[in-house]
């Protein structure tokens, strides 16, 4: 079989002649031959497989530069690259979905606590932080108030002042005058203040390189909890006896699990499981996740550093949260359990119960 004209090749590959000319100019899909007289592009039949792959990847929305890289790979490596790309697309889509839900909720003033037959809700809370049994100092900071719940896990030589600065920067949110319609902007401003506070705390330390902190905080707004999350501290929700992980870890190992390169079981023992992709600090992505949770009476929220979540099996965390009603006693018990597993890291817990106000 001879060469195919650009029109015939375009029809067979599901790519337009205009796209083929562009891909030729970019070196992505070069014709097998160009007629020296007419300048017509001619393609070999064996180029169809690559052209179809390019067409499929464009339908996925993959950028041309990344497509060019994929087409140079062997099949297994190309499949892995596509898997990684799609995992990122899904993560980005989830973030946009959360933001859309956040905006819709506030613009439509959805507030189930304001129905005629409902009673106002509040939270009962406790926070506790412990050095653990191995570390010489505590770089965690935990805070709980009537509006703000927060955990920050510092790292590096300036980790302790970084975590304290991040939470201190949010404490002005402890007010009853937060307008619901302005909540998203307020949280965004608060995170920017936290970033600046962390940078300032780290820069005044003796060795600022590589220091920073995670930050996971929830702002109570009457019947809703607005979440700001960056790093690998976590939020769990205990509802009707079931424990749900609300946050998603911003770690290299979690990204490998998302991409299918590691199983959750392999991730739990991976030597780089604590390597952060996002945090408040220099040299890392500082963009947080933000979302909104509608609270129900009887909900219990746990915010914790990885000194608890990476050490204690999830069933034991759920059991402690289910069995112990008092938030302060629950935080003490969770820290005791983590220390019972060797206490290899600092441990911070915030427990908050959603309840009817008297």
């Amino acid at each position: 079989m001879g060469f195919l004209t650009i029109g015939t090749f375009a029809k067979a590959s599901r790519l337009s002649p205009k796209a083929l000319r562009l891909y030729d100019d970019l070196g992505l899909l070069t014709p097998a031959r160009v007629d020296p007289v007419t300048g017509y592009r001619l393609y070999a039949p064996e180029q169809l497989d690559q052209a179809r792959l390019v067409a499929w990847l464009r339908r996925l929305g993959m950028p041309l530069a990344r497509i060019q890289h994929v087409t140079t790979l062997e099949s297994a490596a190309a499949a892995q690259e596509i898997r990684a790309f799609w995992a990122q697309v899904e993560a980005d889509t989830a973030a946009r979905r959360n933001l859309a839900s956040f905006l819709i909720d506030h613009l439509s003033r959805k507030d189930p606590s304001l129905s005629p037959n409902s009673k106002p809700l509040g939270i009962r809370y406790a926070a506790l932080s412990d050095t653990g049994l191995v570390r010489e100092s505590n770089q965690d900071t935990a805070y709980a108030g009537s509006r703000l719940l927060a955990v920050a896990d510092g790292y590096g030589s300036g980790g302790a002042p970084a975590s304290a600065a991040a939470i201190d920067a949010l404490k002005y949110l402890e007010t009853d005058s937060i307008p619901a319609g302005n909540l998203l902007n307020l949280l965004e401003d608060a995170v920017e203040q936290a970033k600046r506070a962390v940078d300032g705390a780290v820069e005044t330390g003796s060795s600022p390189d590589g220091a920073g902190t995670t930050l996971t905080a929830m702002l109570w707004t009457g019947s809703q909890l607005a979440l700001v999350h960056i790093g690998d501290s976590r939020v769990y929700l205990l509802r009707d006896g079931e424990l749900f992980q609300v946050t998603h870890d911003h770690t290299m190992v979690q990204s490998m699990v998302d991409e299918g390169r590691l199983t959750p079981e392999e991730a739990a023992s991976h030597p780089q499981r604590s390597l952060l992709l996002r945090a408040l600090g220099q040299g890392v992505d500082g963009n947080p996740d933000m979302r909104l949770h509608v609270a129900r009476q009887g909900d219990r929220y746990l915010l914790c550093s990885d000194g608890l979540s990476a050490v204690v099996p999830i069933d034991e965390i759920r059991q402690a949260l289910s069995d112990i009603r008092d938030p302060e006693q629950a935080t003490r018990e969770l820290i005791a359990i983590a220390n019972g597993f060797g206490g290899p890291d600092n441990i911070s817990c915030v427990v908050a119960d959603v309840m009817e106000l008297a």
Side-chain angles (χ1 to χ4, degrees), residues 158-315:
S163 67
I167 290 182
D168 284 345
L170 302 185
K171 287 183 180 178
Y172 76 95
L173 297 173
E174 283 280 13
T175 175
D176 293 332
S177 59
I178 297 175
N182 196 37
L183 182 58
L184 183 61
N185 292 334
L186 192 65
L187 288 174
E188 205 166 36
D189 291 344
V191 172
E192 287 303 316
Q193 291 188 40
K195 288 178 183 178
R196 291 193 294 270
V198 169
D199 288 344
V202 169
E203 286 170 2
T204 58
S206 59
S207 179
D209 292 343
T213 185
T214 70
L215 178 63
T216 300
M218 302 190 85
L219 181 65
W220 175 251
T221 63
S223 68
Q224 299 170 326
L225 282 159
L227 169 69
V228 173
H229 167 68
I230 186 165
D232 63 351
S233 297
R234 290 183 177 176
V235 175
Y236 292 95
L237 167 62
L238 182 70
R239 175 176 284 175
D240 299 328
E242 296 293 325
L243 189 64
F244 306 93
Q245 182 177 333
V246 174
T247 53
H248 192 74
D249 293 349
H250 300 144
T251 61
M252 185 191 72
V253 166
Q254 183 60 55
S255 71
M256 294 170 72
V257 172
D258 296 341
E259 295 167 7
R261 295 157 62 188
L262 284 178
T263 66
E265 293 73 23
E266 291 170 333
S269 59
H270 196 281
Q272 293 181 303
R273 60 186 177 276
S274 297
L275 182 60
L276 296 171
L277 296 181
R278 284 200 257 169
L280 299 182
Q282 298 178 355
V284 287
D285 184 349
N287 292 317
D289 293 339
M290 291 197 298
R291 65 187 67 172
L292 196 66
H293 285 266
V294 177
R296 297 182 189 172
Q297 181 184 354
D299 283 350
R300 168 168 277 190
Y301 285 89
L302 167 67
L303 287 70
C304 65
S305 62
D306 65 343
L308 178 73
S309 59
V311 174
V312 179
I314 192 64
D315 286 343

Side-chain angles (χ1 to χ4, degrees), residues 129-132 135-142 151-167 202 207 209-214 233 305-306 345-348:
S129 186
D130 188 80
T131 303
R135 300 291 176 88
E136 294 183 357
S137 62
N138 191 353
Q139 295 187 307
D140 284 4
T141 302
V151 166
D153 181 356
Y155 59 86
S157 60
S163 67
I167 290 182
V202 169
S207 179
D209 292 343
T213 185
T214 70
S233 297
S305 62
D306 65 343
D345 199 356
N346 306 148
I347 313 149
S348 289

Side-chain angles (χ1 to χ4, degrees), residues 38-178:
T38 64
Y40 288 166
R41 294 170 172 84
L42 301 171
Y43 295 84
E46 54 268 25
Q47 289 182 282
L48 278 171
D49 284 344
Q50 182 177 354
R52 287 166 179 155
L53 175 60
V54 170
W56 293 331
L57 293 177
R58 286 301 292 156
R59 291 191 189 102
L60 282 180
M62 184 178 287
L64 289 173
R66 194 160 184 175
I67 291 176
Q68 193 161 25
H69 173 62
V70 170
T71 59
T72 66
L73 301 175
E74 297 294 332
S75 295
Q80 185 60 52
E81 184 69 15
I82 295 168
R83 184 180 294 114
F85 167 75
W86 193 247
Q88 184 60 54
V89 170
E90 290 183 324
D92 292 343
T93 301
R96 289 195 297 272
R97 183 186 306 117
N98 289 330
L99 179 58
S101 297
F102 198 120
L103 291 169
I104 291 167
D105 286 345
H106 281 288
L107 290 173
S108 59
R109 300 294 193 272
K110 288 166 62 175
D111 193 344
S113 73
L114 299 181
S115 62
N117 298 321
S118 66
K119 295 181 180 180
L121 299 175
I123 53 174
R124 183 177 58 161
Y125 50 85
L128 191 61
S129 186
D130 188 80
T131 303
L133 303 180
V134 175
R135 300 291 176 88
E136 294 183 357
S137 62
N138 191 353
Q139 295 187 307
D140 284 4
T141 302
Y143 175 85
S146 60
R147 292 289 181 181
L148 179 67
L149 313 168
V151 166
D153 181 356
Y155 59 86
S157 60
S163 67
I167 290 182
D168 284 345
L170 302 185
K171 287 183 180 178
Y172 76 95
L173 297 173
E174 283 280 13
T175 175
D176 293 332
S177 59
I178 297 175

